[in-house]
Amino acid sequence: MFKTLVARGDRTGVVLACLPGTAVLSLKAFARASGNKQVELVETDEILRLTGYIRGGVSPLGAKKAYPVTVDESALSQPMVSS
């Protein structure tokens, strides 16, 4: 099970991070991976407006707008990934 977190980068704007449900997102590492100097998670009340999904149900596919998505490399070890 993977979760999708919504963040805003200082260079790219809104970016999505997909990581294992039990993992903790390193904002510093995510900033580097997404081409930003800094990222911060968006406020809960912004998630629906930005993605069209409620908190807890965000999918990296089918958001209102196409945002850059960074997926944890552990997804490569899974036999199948779907949303």
Side-chain angles (χ1 to χ4, degrees), residues 4 14 24 26 37 42 47-48 50 78 83:
T4 303
V14 176
V24 175
S26 164
K37 280 191 172 183
V42 300
I47 294 172
L48 178 61
L50 292 171
Q78 302 302 314
S83 72

Side-chain angles (χ1 to χ4, degrees), residues 17 25 32 64-65 72 81:
L25 179 65
R32 282 192 305 271
K64 280 184 170 182
K65 188 175 173 185
D72 187 84
V81 177

Side-chain angles (χ1 to χ4, degrees), residues 6-81:
V6 184
R8 183 172 285 111
D10 61 340
R11 294 180 177 168
T12 62
V14 176
V15 289
L16 304 178
C18 293
L19 59 154
T22 58
V24 175
L25 179 65
S26 164
L27 294 177
K28 196 175 209 177
F30 183 42
R32 282 192 305 271
S34 63
N36 290 287
K37 280 191 172 183
Q38 277 188 305
V39 294
E40 52 185 49
L41 296 177
V42 300
E43 296 292 328
T44 303
D45 58 343
E46 284 187 275
I47 294 172
L48 178 61
R49 182 177 54 80
L50 292 171
T51 66
Y53 295 109
I54 60 170
R55 179 183 175 267
V58 176
S59 171
L61 306 173
K64 280 184 170 182
K65 188 175 173 185
Y67 295 115
V69 178
T70 301
V71 180
D72 187 84
E73 70 179 62
S74 65
L76 296 172
S77 67
Q78 302 302 314
M80 180 173 60
V81 177

